[in-house]
């Protein structure tokens, strides 16, 4: 019985399909997927951090302008990295990642790799999660 109540609280990939419990599980899974999508988007944004820092340095600028521009971009990058770290280590993200690990351990077969080309709107956080009606 304890396993059933933890599934209702944290959701399960298989779902029980039993009225309110099934709807609760599905709703929780959608929230988890949104959290994972947010983490993924923020992580991908970090890939261009150095490029954006270098692009912010103006051409044909005085050394002072170069320094000021670079300093601003370093501060922005630091903030972005700090924000991602806070999001990644948040209780919600830990809960989502732990549930994903449990689900993967319980049913490791049949997990398809995620491909960006299959989800062209994945960067739009306002879009509904693929495979759901929400």
């Amino acid at each position: 019985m304890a396993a059933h109540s933890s599934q209702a609280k944290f959701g399960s990939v298989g779902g029980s399909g039993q009225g309110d419990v099934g709807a609760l599980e599905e709703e929780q899974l959608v929230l988890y997927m949104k959290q994972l999508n947010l983490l993924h988007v923020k992580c991908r944004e970090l890939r261009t951090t150095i490029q954006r820092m270098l692009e912010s340095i103006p051409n044909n600028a005085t050394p002072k302008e170069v320094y000021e521009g670079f300093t601003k971009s370093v501060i922005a990058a630091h903030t972005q990295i700090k924000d991602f770290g806070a999001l990644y280590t948040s209780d919600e993200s830990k809960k989502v990642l732990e549930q994903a690990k449990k689900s993967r351990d319980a049913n490791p077969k049949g997990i398809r790799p995620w491909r960006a080309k299959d989800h062209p709107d994945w960067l739009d956080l306002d879009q509904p999660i693929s495979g759901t009606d929400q």
Side-chain angles (χ1 to χ4, degrees):
M1 177 162 282
H4 185 269
S5 65
S6 69
Q7 284 180 347
K9 182 177 178 186
F10 294 113
S12 70
V13 172
S16 66
Q18 298 176 357
D20 292 340
V21 174
L24 177 64
E25 288 177 352
E26 184 174 340
E27 183 179 318
Q28 190 65 45
L29 287 174
V30 169
L31 292 174
Y32 284 175
M33 288 171 55
K34 286 182 180 184
Q35 180 74 12
L36 287 173
N37 191 44
L38 177 62
L39 278 168
H40 189 207
V41 168
K42 296 298 183 183
C43 181
R44 290 288 300 222
E45 288 175 354
L46 291 178
R47 294 181 72 185
T48 60
T49 300
I50 293 175
Q51 178 183 353
R52 281 183 278 127
M53 287 171 57
L54 296 175
E55 288 174 349
S56 70
I57 299 173
N59 292 333
N60 303 323
T62 66
K64 183 178 180 179
E65 292 171 335
V66 169
Y67 177 77
E68 288 173 356
F70 188 69
T71 301
K72 287 179 185 176
S73 65
V74 168
I75 291 169
H78 175 25
T79 302
Q80 187 179 21
I81 292 167
K82 189 172 148 184
D83 290 347
F84 175 78
L87 179 66
Y88 183 76
T89 58
S90 71
D91 289 340
E92 183 65 23
S93 291
K94 287 179 184 178
K95 188 179 357 175
V96 170
L97 293 170
E98 181 61 32
Q99 179 60 30
K101 181 181 181 326
K102 286 178 187 177
S103 176
R104 187 176 53 246
D105 290 346
N107 188 13
K109 297 185 187 224
I111 299 174
R112 296 184 329 223
W114 183 90
R115 305 269 188 245
K117 67 180 181 180
D118 298 334
H119 307 275
D121 59 348
W122 73 274
L123 282 170
D124 186 356
L125 294 174
D126 294 329
Q127 288 292 325
I129 301 295
S130 296
T132 66
D133 295 332
Q134 297 187 9

